[in-house]
Amino acid sequence: AGSALVPVLQERGLQVDAPSRTDLDVAAAEAVGAALEECRPDAVVNLAAKQPGAEADALERVNHHGAAVVAAAAAARGLRLVHVSTDMVLGGDRAPYADDAPVAPLGDYGSSKARGEAAVLAACPGAVCVRTSLLYDPGAIDRGIRGFAERLAAGEPCRVFSDEIRCPLPSGVLAEALARLLDLEVRGTLNVASRVPVTRYEWGTRLLAHFRVPGRERVETVRAADLEAQGMPPRPRDLTLDVSRAEALLELRLPGIAEVLGASG
């Protein structure tokens, strides 16, 4: 979402400083403080995150400790803070989830992001933590879809969960929402995801069709419930988010994937 956010902010005539993960270690308090002193922003959007699959120590360092460091630095300077979190902080058994639904993560990634949310709001009570879902770019194949394409090209099995429900949102729409939140006095947690939940299978196959990936007809369904019965760690099943408050506050439609991709998807 970072690459999508920068042009949205620049179109508003804002000066943007967007250090990469190699330029700035968010878990290093001195470095974060120095960066803020150098650019002296009016607001901070924290998109830094280690993704699912990373080592537990890395998840904790960036998603929890890094979030706390950025929040403390923003609070010390009186800056508006928009922190990007995830629907994976939830357990998947009580959908649809309200904006303030209590966390109940099932895995290391969700747990690290849940601790990050708590740390952000403790250090910077005026911040808003945006709980979003799967992100995609209709104009470019992302890492996940590229992985599917590579497996299909190699003739390998390509299976996608049919019993997991998420609310995928175009990265550009999330970027617009984050930009609008800079000017709104919204605090706490806020759901910003698609208004239309879909299974991961529907999400994946629609994007494969949209990008005309060869071999997409060979994608198969698999049930997380069956794999869990065979020993796979539990996964959140239904992460449908209630986004009605965000749509009203932001005056922004949060579209479903069928609306975004149309006939091509």
Side-chain angles (χ1 to χ4, degrees), residues 17-44:
D17 192 317
S20 69
R21 68 187 66 184
T22 56
D23 294 331
L24 179 63
D25 178 3
V26 293
E30 185 173 337
V32 170
L36 292 179
E37 287 302 315
E38 180 179 353
C39 65
R40 295 190 173 275
D42 296 316
V44 175

Side-chain angles (χ1 to χ4, degrees), residues 13-258:
L14 300 176
Q15 183 177 344
V16 182
D17 192 317
S20 69
R21 68 187 66 184
T22 56
D23 294 331
L24 179 63
D25 178 3
V26 293
E30 185 173 337
V32 170
L36 292 179
E37 287 302 315
E38 180 179 353
C39 65
R40 295 190 173 275
D42 296 316
V44 175
V45 181
N46 185 11
L47 291 139
K50 284 291 184 180
Q51 299 301 319
E55 294 294 328
D57 288 349
L59 291 169
E60 177 68 13
R61 176 176 174 77
V62 176
N63 297 351
H64 175 201
H65 183 62
V69 166
V70 172
R77 294 163 177 80
L79 304 177
R80 171 63 166 156
L81 174 62
V82 178
H83 175 81
V84 178
S85 187
T86 172
D87 54 2
M88 295 290 283
V89 301
L90 304 168
D93 58 346
R94 297 178 181 274
Y97 287 94
D99 298 275
D100 59 353
V103 299
L106 297 184
D108 289 342
Y109 171 71
S111 295
S112 68
K113 293 294 285 185
R115 288 191 290 273
E117 278 190 5
V120 166
L121 296 178
C124 189
V128 59
C129 292
V130 173
R131 291 177 177 173
T132 192
S133 185
L134 298 170
L135 298 175
Y136 64 96
D137 180 354
I141 295 180
D142 64 15
R143 182 178 58 180
I145 298 301
R146 186 177 300 111
F148 290 157
E150 290 171 352
R151 288 197 292 276
L152 290 169
E156 299 174 357
C158 185
R159 302 184 178 95
V160 187
F161 292 118
S162 61
D163 59 345
E164 282 194 12
I165 298 172
R166 305 287 292 278
C167 298
L169 189 69
S171 54
V173 177
L174 176 63
E176 179 63 30
L178 297 177
R180 295 187 186 193
L181 281 169
L182 293 176
D183 298 321
L184 296 175
E185 294 184 5
V186 183
R187 61 180 62 194
T189 50
L190 181 70
N191 296 335
V192 181
S194 169
R195 59 179 15 236
V196 184
V198 294
T199 65
R200 285 189 71 105
Y201 176 79
E202 182 179 354
W203 172 73
T205 53
R206 277 188 172 274
L207 284 172
L208 290 171
H210 176 70
F211 292 115
R212 303 183 185 280
V213 174
R216 58 187 179 275
E217 68 280 354
R218 292 190 285 105
V219 175
E220 302 173 359
T221 61
V222 64
R223 296 177 70 247
D226 294 337
L227 296 182
E228 288 171 7
Q230 299 171 20
M232 184 185 79
R235 299 172 60 91
R237 197 74 75 243
D238 185 350
L239 292 177
T240 299
L241 302 178
D242 179 351
V243 298
S244 56
R245 179 167 173 256
E247 287 193 316
L249 287 170
L250 301 172
E251 298 182 341
L252 179 66
R253 184 176 178 82
L254 301 172
I257 192 167

